[in-house]
Amino acid sequence: MRESMWSDPKKSPGTTPNPRGEGVLFGPDVTEAFLRDNGLKMLIRSHECVPLGFEFPFLNGRGHHLLMTLFSASNYASAGNQGAFLRFFSMDCQPATHPFRTVHGLPSAPPSATPSNLHYSVHSFFMGDPLGHEQSLTRTLQASLLTVVLKRRHSLLRHFQGVEAG
């Protein structure tokens, strides 16, 4: 389990020791062989902070993504990164509900149960202040909204009183 958790992609072929101390660095050739040997189209991994919350480090010869790194913790250790999540759906935009199996102890969809029309969308988000300021983004937006409400309070009161009367 440590190997799968701490292994990270690298641009060059093959494997090398991982500077994190556990796992290995693996190249696109290793990823392609793993996918082929296990009847998979793409591998989705996590446990590595990436700036946009997701990253596609490898493409195959046909331009298809082989690997996705997905990291859901935005502003991890004040790094200023975005977080991301995946949503799976079918061609008719219904949420996907397909059985999953495990490959080497990790969940993956069996090829026979995964229709070719299963798609995904990636959603990035940010929570926190990437610049390390005292106010978070939420507090800044709240303060801006309060300023607008206070500046227009008289016209807002007139409007709401008219709504109550009507």
Side-chain angles (χ1 to χ4, degrees):
M1 288 303 280
R2 278 197 314 254
E3 290 290 317
S4 61
M5 180 180 287
W6 292 102
S7 291
D8 296 316
K10 66 179 183 128
K11 298 292 181 195
S12 58
T15 61
T16 57
N18 193 330
R20 293 209 250 184
E22 295 286 345
V24 296
L25 297 178
F26 59 92
D29 58 327
V30 174
T31 305
E32 255 185 309
F34 177 84
L35 295 174
R36 183 184 58 249
D37 294 349
N38 291 284
L40 302 172
K41 293 182 180 179
M42 184 172 79
L43 179 65
I44 301 169
R45 63 180 290 275
S46 188
H47 211 73
E48 181 183 14
C49 183
V50 290
L52 295 176
F54 68 96
E55 187 174 81
F56 296 98
F58 306 143
L59 293 173
N60 66 13
R62 296 181 310 278
H64 295 117
H65 298 293
L66 300 174
L67 178 70
M68 174 195 287
T69 297
L70 184 70
F71 195 74
S72 62
S74 72
N75 203 26
Y76 180 73
S78 298
N81 65 290
Q82 294 182 8
F85 64 93
L86 279 176
R87 180 176 172 263
F88 290 95
F89 57 92
S90 61
M91 285 298 283
D92 58 3
C93 292
Q94 296 300 312
T97 55
H98 297 286
F100 285 81
R101 66 180 170 104
T102 49
V103 173
H104 303 293
L106 303 172
S108 70
S112 60
T114 308
S116 60
N117 66 352
L118 182 62
H119 298 273
Y120 62 88
S121 58
V122 184
H123 306 270
S124 288
F125 61 91
F126 184 82
M127 297 175 67
D129 186 359
L131 303 176
H133 297 282
E134 289 181 28
Q135 289 188 330
S136 71
L137 179 61
T138 303
R139 288 186 185 150
T140 302
L141 292 173
Q142 288 171 339
S144 298
L145 180 59
L146 180 60
T147 301
V148 170
V149 169
L150 289 176
K151 280 184 180 178
R152 299 180 183 209
R153 69 182 177 270
H154 297 295
S155 62
L156 287 168
L157 281 172
R158 281 192 302 275
H159 174 76
F160 288 128
Q161 287 169 345
V163 170
E164 286 179 5

